[in-house]
Amino acid sequence: MVLEHFDLSGRTDYTELRRQRNTMASVSLTNGNVTGNASQEHAGVSARVWHAGAWGFASAGADDRGAIDRVVGAAGDNARWLGTRAGRDLGALPSRPTSGVVQVFETSKPRWSRAQTVSFLRELDEHVASRYPQVTARTVALSCLDMHKQLQTSDGAESDQLIPRTILALVFTVVRNGEPVRLMEIHGGFGQLEDNFDDPTALHDAIAKQVAHLERKAAGVYARAGTHDLVLDASLAGILAHEAIGHTTEADLVLGGSVAGDRVGQEVATELVSLTDFAHTALGQQCPVPVWVDDEGVEAQDVPIIEKGVLKGFMHTKETALRFGVAPTGNARAFQYSDEPLVRMRNTSFLPGDSSLDDMIASVERGYYLVRPSNGQADATSEFMFGVTLGYEIVDGKLGEAIKDTTISGVAFDVLRTVSMVSDDMQWECGGMCGKKQPIPVGMGGPAIKCRAHLGGR
């Protein structure tokens, strides 16, 4: 996709023009049989215009000069029509244009053919089938997504970003006492397929650990329902940070009545808790979903949400920043060319503390170590419920039996007031997706945390 400059400088109303191509490919095997093999591309152009406190939006599934003229014109017409009826002129949007940003992460390695991809997956599947006959069902699924966005705005922003991600899901099932027990692990992350995977044998150790966890889970016990001391590993802490805290501090949801709205400057957690939505780099390392410039042309900045237990602020687009009287933070993101940018997280995580995971587990007399989440939900009150697919009892400071699938629930801001230890490491999950109105890749993870929350039983 070649960037062709389109002059927006003379426009009276603030205008954005975004050309975007999402390329997606997926291949899956179930018990050695190819059950999915698809590729698709969504490409086009969209425009937004701000007039008298209202946005006008238009898109087209083409990006030639004629399509660009049409969508810019239609977006302007829509904005003026809505603006004359909204009766809420808020003034000019804040302007923080960033130009000349080029972050295009295409692999320098030879691209795999579809046959090579299937061969790679089949070799993984055959290894599991031959080495672990106790695994009665196997799914090996690969998905690749390249998001290529080129943006221009009438206030001078211009950027070109291609952010790729490759996800490999391994799903294994064993049968115990006539009941199937399942466990999934995700591999891969930032980058195209060839940058994430090469030799199938490199995954053999991870597969062995997954099967070992699965067998312990199959022989495991049900958790005792009730409120317990818990150690949440990075995956669980990450989904808590994203779903139950992050969404409550997205400024559009704050305007809609989020529980976080009137708590800025207040203590909402113990002083061990700090939480940040990182733009592209965290603690010197690139994040799983790096964003240098958002879909409004604003330089993406880290957003400190909680610092030492105190709520500091919210994530913003240009419009919400105007409404709050602050600077935009670079959190405007859209998934497809035909989607309007929303306030979205990038890479949301607690910050590491100074405890080791071993010491955190040793400090629990009777409780649980929760390792892997499944899907979950949270609302604007920060009340949450997440599935747990892998966890272990803690008895007298040591790991005990594995537990079967369960749930963790509570009110996040209450749970954060119970945090008594935070691990000194940082681990990112590679496959985070957020479904707020439109799906989009996000980074989740962080340190482990020790807290108290409610765990479901049998």
Side-chain angles (χ1 to χ4, degrees):
M1 197 163 70
V2 179
L3 180 63
E4 178 184 355
H5 184 78
F6 187 87
D7 189 10
L8 300 174
S9 60
R11 297 188 61 82
T12 303
D13 294 319
Y14 169 79
T15 303
E16 297 167 358
L17 175 65
R18 173 165 44 95
R19 302 171 69 226
Q20 182 171 343
R21 175 180 291 125
N22 285 10
T23 305
M24 293 162 278
S26 61
V27 182
S28 59
L29 276 65
T30 301
N31 294 335
N33 300 310
V34 177
T35 53
N37 191 345
S39 61
Q40 55 184 316
E41 180 178 283
H42 295 282
V45 62
S46 63
R48 282 204 311 171
V49 174
W50 174 260
H51 178 84
W55 286 108
F57 180 78
S59 65
D63 62 359
D64 57 87
R65 192 76 177 192
I68 291 174
D69 286 333
R70 288 193 298 274
V71 299
V72 171
D77 291 342
N78 293 338
R80 286 183 288 274
W81 188 90
L82 292 168
T84 57
R85 288 156 178 78
R88 56 168 190 175
D89 193 348
L90 304 175
L93 293 168
S95 177
R96 287 184 49 217
T98 301
S99 62
V101 174
V102 178
Q103 296 285 355
V104 177
F105 292 93
E106 290 184 293
T107 183
S108 60
K109 299 178 180 179
R111 300 308 306 265
W112 285 10
S113 67
R114 190 55 60 95
Q116 287 175 295
T117 303
V118 172
S119 177
F120 171 81
L121 298 181
R122 194 178 297 283
E123 189 170 338
L124 283 175
D125 178 79
E126 290 172 351
H127 168 73
V128 178
S130 62
R131 179 67 179 82
Y132 306 103
Q134 68 271 39
V135 175
T136 57
R138 313 173 307 277
T139 296
V140 181
L142 182 76
S143 62
C144 307
L145 170 64
D146 291 353
M147 298 180 66
H148 193 177
K149 301 179 180 182
Q150 296 173 337
L151 181 75
Q152 295 173 225
T153 68
S154 59
D155 62 349
E158 193 166 307
S159 64
D160 185 2
Q161 298 179 94
L162 188 157
I163 307 299
R165 188 167 74 164
T166 304
I167 302 299
L168 174 66
L170 303 179
V171 187
F172 303 151
T173 302
V174 299
V175 176
R176 184 63 58 95
N177 298 324
E179 294 185 1
V181 182
R182 178 175 174 269
L183 185 63
M184 178 174 69
E185 292 286 354
I186 301 293
H187 305 275
F190 176 83
Q192 293 181 321
L193 170 61
E194 297 78 10
D195 293 320
N196 276 278
F197 301 108
D198 181 11
D199 181 3
T201 63
L203 290 164
H204 286 185
D205 287 347
I207 289 171
K209 292 178 182 177
Q210 181 178 348
V211 173
H213 281 304
L214 176 59
E215 291 185 308
R216 292 191 65 180
K217 177 181 174 180
V221 299
Y222 288 99
R224 295 174 294 114
T227 299
H228 300 282
D229 288 329
L230 304 174
V231 176
L232 308 185
D233 205 20
S235 295
L236 265 297
I239 197 171
L240 178 68
H242 175 97
E243 293 286 355
I245 303 298
H247 279 307
T248 68
T249 56
E250 291 171 326
D252 54 348
L253 298 185
V254 174
L255 289 169
S258 157
V259 67
D262 58 357
R263 297 193 181 188
V264 172
Q266 296 182 16
E267 184 178 293
V268 296
T270 69
E271 64 178 9
L272 298 176
V273 176
S274 293
L275 187 152
T276 295
D277 182 61
F278 293 100
H280 51 78
T281 305
L283 308 180
Q285 299 293 320
Q286 182 175 291
C287 295
V289 183
V291 177
W292 282 268
V293 179
D294 77 354
D295 291 341
E296 294 179 327
V298 174
E299 180 183 2
Q301 298 180 335
D302 295 345
V303 180
I305 296 172
I306 299 174
E307 288 185 352
K308 295 184 177 179
V310 176
L311 185 65
K312 289 297 184 179
F314 309 131
M315 293 167 276
H316 287 283
T317 60
K318 286 184 175 180
E319 180 184 353
T320 64
L322 176 63
R323 290 175 177 272
F324 280 83
V326 298
T329 55
N331 284 88
R333 301 180 66 203
F335 180 56
Q336 301 277 19
Y337 75 89
S338 53
D339 292 324
E340 292 191 67
L342 305 173
V343 184
R344 304 302 295 264
M345 285 172 268
R346 291 87 44 104
N347 305 273
T348 312
S349 169
F350 295 108
L351 271 64
D354 57 8
S355 298
S356 71
L357 179 60
D358 288 343
D359 287 344
M360 293 168 68
I361 293 171
S363 73
V364 178
E365 182 177 350
R366 188 70 185 266
Y368 294 91
Y369 171 48
L370 305 183
V371 185
R372 288 285 179 268
S374 61
N375 292 333
Q377 60 184 13
D379 61 25
T381 69
S382 86
E383 187 173 3
F384 67 90
M385 178 181 286
F386 307 138
V388 178
T389 62
L390 180 63
Y392 289 88
E393 293 180 322
I394 303 176
V395 181
D396 295 330
K398 297 180 180 179
L399 294 184
E401 299 290 331
I403 59 174
K404 299 186 183 297
D405 288 353
T406 185
T407 58
I408 178 176
S409 61
V411 176
F413 282 115
D414 292 342
V415 171
L416 294 189
R417 290 190 178 95
T418 71
V419 172
S420 55
M421 300 177 81
V422 180
S423 73
D424 55 8
D425 60 347
M426 186 83 168
Q427 298 179 40
W428 289 104
E429 293 301 304
C430 62
M433 288 291 290
C434 178
K436 177 186 174 183
K437 296 185 180 179
Q438 44 181 274
I440 205 163
V442 292
M444 292 187 288
I449 64 172
K450 179 186 174 185
C451 62
R452 287 184 62 80
H454 188 274
L455 207 61
R458 184 165 188 169

